Amino acid sequence: MTKARSLSDFIESDGSVTLVDNQQIKVGTGNDLQIFHNATDSIIFNQTGALMLRGNDVRIQSMDASATLATLTNTGAVTLYHNNSAKLATNSGGVSVTGTAVLGGASFVDNANAYFGTDLDLRIYHDGSHSFVKESGTGNLYILGDS
């Protein structure tokens, strides 16, 4: 039989609360919100409504806080990072991408080129002086107007 324990058994001298693996903090009439650690992962589980994080700016960081993974601001901007470098950012006009964006696997855009087609055989680019539309596959290049 497990010995009954009081809350004072879990409160440390510095005022923090310590729970061992697989013990849960449960909130709500039906334990709707649970927070726990299962020896491998830390889990926040919400089984009713929406799980809401609120703050003027919400930042998701690496464990040691040396890298930002994502930022969400109260102005609506969202930025996603790779290796602590901003790669995708929303703004009032849409989305900004730093680097290469792969679109459906058959198209991508990098800093200087837009490639389209199954074999990426259509390229649109600017060399600093001139603009180009180049078809490098086996088909023809057609430019059509309204008919």
Side-chain angles (χ1 to χ4, degrees):
M1 181 169 169
T2 305
K3 176 185 167 194
R5 299 179 72 180
S6 69
L7 183 59
S8 62
D9 291 335
F10 300 100
I11 298 177
E12 302 292 332
S13 60
D14 64 0
S16 63
V17 175
T18 300
L19 302 174
V20 297
D21 291 340
N22 296 309
Q23 288 183 329
Q24 300 177 3
I25 296 171
K26 297 177 181 180
V27 180
T29 302
N31 298 323
D32 302 328
L33 175 66
Q34 300 170 19
I35 302 172
F36 59 99
H37 181 76
N38 66 9
T40 303
D41 301 310
S42 298
I43 301 161
I44 299 173
F45 176 70
N46 178 52
Q47 56 187 345
T48 60
L51 176 63
M52 296 182 211
L53 301 175
R54 293 185 180 174
N56 285 332
D57 293 320
V58 175
R59 298 178 196 281
I60 300 172
Q61 297 181 323
S62 61
M63 186 177 76
D64 63 0
S66 66
T68 298
L69 309 174
T71 59
L72 304 91
T73 68
N74 67 352
T75 59
V78 174
T79 304
L80 301 178
Y81 297 79
H82 176 79
N83 199 20
N84 213 28
S85 178
K87 295 299 176 184
L88 183 109
T90 64
N91 54 55
S92 62
V95 176
S96 296
V97 175
T98 302
T100 300
V102 176
L103 312 169
S107 308
F108 75 87
V109 179
D110 64 21
N111 291 334
N113 303 278
Y115 294 91
F116 302 95
T118 305
D119 296 320
L120 303 175
D121 52 358
L122 176 63
R123 178 179 169 202
I124 301 172
Y125 63 101
H126 185 75
D127 69 0
S129 300
H130 305 285
S131 297
F132 298 89
V133 176
K134 181 178 181 183
E135 200 286 326
S136 59
T138 58
N140 296 318
L141 174 64
Y142 297 98
I143 299 176
L144 303 173
D146 289 337
S147 52

